[in-house]
Amino acid sequence: MFRKIKDLLTSYKLSKINFRLLVYVFSLTAIGIVCIGSAVAEENYQFKQIIGLIISLIVLVIASLVSYKFILKLSWPIYFISIVLLLLVLLFGATKLGATRWIDFGFFQFQPSEFAKLFLIIFVASYIHKRYETIDTAKTLLSVTFFALIILGLIYKEPDLSSTIVIFITFCAIIFLSNINGKILAMIAIIAVPIIIVFGYFTVDPNSGILEKYQYNRIIGFFQEDNAEAKKIRYQQENSLLAIGSGGLTGKGVDNDDVTSVKNGKFLSEAHTDFIFTIVGEELGFIGAAAVIILIFLIVIECFIVGTRAPDIGGRLFCYGFGVLIAIQSIVNICVATMLLPNTGVTLPFVSYGLTSLLSLYSGIGMVINIGLQRKKV
């Protein structure tokens, strides 16, 4: 057994491990743990996040050693596991803040949609890899879209519109980056744009039933300032913007007792998850906020670099898809915290509190590391 492990480690040439990526990820997670402890000092969220990090590191090591090609071969079982988990949420899930997104095990809550993001990237990358020669055909494009829409539909029903949008954009990016024919893309755009416009028109109708009431209010409230409901919805984002601005260059310091602190005044809900970037901006200032953004950018770049050197299309598309997922989710979270987008529940990758999210992200990073170990010569 030990000999097999030794042969495996030797075959991967561990000197090729992407230590830059690991440093970026660990640094970002460390910032998150510090800010989580400050955001909710009276709770044990920081300790739980540390435990989650330890478990995630174990999973990262395993994912780094297990060949990504083997994981891609399990794409169908992984796909059906995603469906089963999402169905379990809809049937037996725990409800919080009007949404049913968690399976409550008592000692922790598991959020299947976080793993569904990773699993869908694995499935799409594998599906296209096996049918790459027919990627420009309607059969392949429609079939992979159909399977993706099933996952998206189940997540949307929780309801989790924000995650649905993030995953849909990630899916579109994977299709775009699969070297699909430009004429096919143009045709898809010609068909999709009018559909999106019509869908958007009906979405803003409160009687359409497309959006939940709270989702509709968040969107409309973001653009309106002349009614009490809109002010109530905008209140948290306005406080977030005020907190980030008050941080200045170096911030007010972690665990500060400043009476002007938005965090200390309890003016933010979900400060350890959706609005963790606000805590970063207020307590670590512009330097801390810039460091978080730069680290996220570097992680995304490393994913794309590994993708360009992947030995096959499956590995390449996984790296691209995972990088896009981190980028889009980060952009949405930061834009919400800085009041550039309507309020929506999307966490900041590697920084926000969430054991399922951390475990999923570290699993993805492990796969990227493994793909890098098997990279083609350049």
Side-chain angles (χ1 to χ4, degrees):
M1 177 180 176
F2 291 106
R3 184 174 181 180
K4 289 182 179 179
I5 295 176
K6 181 180 178 181
D7 292 340
L8 177 66
L9 298 178
T10 305
S11 65
Y12 279 160
K13 297 181 181 179
L14 297 185
S15 60
K16 303 294 184 180
I17 288 178
N18 191 334
F19 287 104
R20 292 190 308 273
L21 178 58
L22 292 176
V23 169
Y24 301 151
V25 169
F26 296 158
S27 299
L28 196 57
T29 306
I31 293 174
I33 290 174
V34 170
C35 290
I36 289 169
S38 180
V40 281
E42 70 281 3
E43 301 288 347
N44 61 347
Y45 288 118
Q46 186 180 54
F47 176 74
K48 289 182 178 179
Q49 191 76 348
I50 293 173
I51 296 299
L53 172 60
I54 295 173
I55 297 173
S56 297
L57 286 173
I58 296 173
V59 173
L60 183 147
V61 172
I62 295 173
S64 300
L65 296 179
V66 176
S67 175
Y68 78 93
K69 296 178 182 178
F70 174 74
I71 296 176
L72 292 183
K73 289 180 180 179
L74 299 175
S75 60
W76 278 110
I78 288 173
Y79 177 80
F80 286 116
I81 289 173
S82 299
I83 292 179
V84 170
L85 290 174
L86 293 172
L87 286 174
L88 287 175
V89 170
L90 295 178
L91 295 174
F92 310 106
T95 300
K96 180 181 178 182
L97 299 177
T100 306
R101 303 173 185 172
W102 300 268
I103 298 176
D104 193 346
F105 290 98
F107 55 96
F108 83 101
Q109 290 185 328
F110 178 74
Q111 188 173 357
S113 59
E114 290 296 331
F115 266 100
K117 298 173 185 177
L118 176 66
F119 288 172
L120 186 60
I121 294 173
I122 292 174
F123 175 78
V124 174
S126 175
Y127 194 91
I128 294 177
H129 173 69
K130 294 175 181 177
R131 298 163 180 80
Y132 189 61
E133 294 182 359
T134 60
I135 186 61
D136 292 329
T137 64
K139 179 181 179 182
T140 298
L141 289 174
L142 290 176
S143 59
V144 70
T145 302
F146 171 77
F147 292 123
L149 287 177
I150 293 176
I151 299 293
L152 291 170
L154 290 172
I155 295 174
Y156 174 78
K157 287 293 293 180
E158 293 183 353
D160 192 351
L161 179 62
S162 52
S163 290
T164 304
I165 294 173
V166 168
I167 300 174
F168 177 72
I169 294 175
T170 302
F171 169 74
C172 291
I174 295 175
I175 297 299
F176 175 78
L177 294 169
S178 62
N179 293 328
I180 189 173
N181 188 288
K183 293 181 179 179
I184 301 294
L185 285 175
M187 187 180 301
I188 293 174
I190 292 173
I191 297 173
V193 170
I195 294 176
I196 293 173
I197 293 175
V198 173
F199 181 79
Y201 174 79
F202 284 105
T203 296
V204 297
D205 180 358
N207 299 316
S208 65
I210 296 176
L211 297 178
E212 296 290 330
K213 184 178 180 180
Y214 79 91
Q215 293 172 333
Y216 172 80
N217 288 336
R218 282 181 176 181
I219 295 174
I220 299 302
F222 179 77
F223 297 101
Q224 295 180 353
E225 302 181 30
D226 56 352
N227 62 70
E229 186 66 26
K231 290 181 180 179
K232 182 179 179 181
I233 294 169
R234 294 166 60 90
Y235 179 72
Q236 188 165 218
Q237 283 184 285
E238 289 173 346
N239 286 334
S240 172
L241 199 61
L242 176 64
I244 294 172
S246 69
L249 180 63
T250 58
K252 298 176 180 178
V254 178
D255 290 326
N256 68 82
D257 56 0
D258 194 323
V259 294
T260 65
S261 169
V262 172
K263 179 208 71 177
N264 293 339
K266 307 296 182 182
F267 295 123
L268 278 177
S269 63
E270 305 301 319
H272 59 305
T273 54
D274 301 345
F275 284 91
I276 192 66
F277 188 76
T278 306
I279 304 301
V280 174
E282 183 177 60
E283 301 197 341
L284 302 180
F286 173 80
I287 293 177
V292 167
I293 293 173
I294 291 171
L295 285 171
I296 291 172
F297 176 76
L298 291 174
I299 291 171
V300 173
I301 292 299
E302 286 298 328
C303 288
F304 272 77
I305 291 175
V306 173
T308 60
R309 300 173 179 175
D312 55 40
I313 185 65
R316 182 161 78 244
L317 291 182
F318 176 83
C319 291
Y320 289 167
F322 191 67
V324 169
L325 174 67
I326 294 173
I328 296 300
Q329 189 163 320
S330 299
I331 290 171
V332 171
N333 178 277
I334 293 172
C335 284
V336 168
T338 54
M339 210 171 176
L340 295 175
L341 285 176
N343 194 354
T344 183
V346 173
T347 56
L348 187 59
F350 302 104
V351 184
S352 293
Y353 172 79
L355 306 187
T356 313
S357 174
L358 198 64
L359 190 59
S360 171
L361 289 167
Y362 270 71
S363 299
I365 291 296
M367 284 191 64
V368 173
I369 294 294
N370 182 268
I371 294 169
L373 290 173
Q374 302 185 58
R375 65 177 182 258
K376 61 185 179 182
K377 295 181 180 180
V378 293

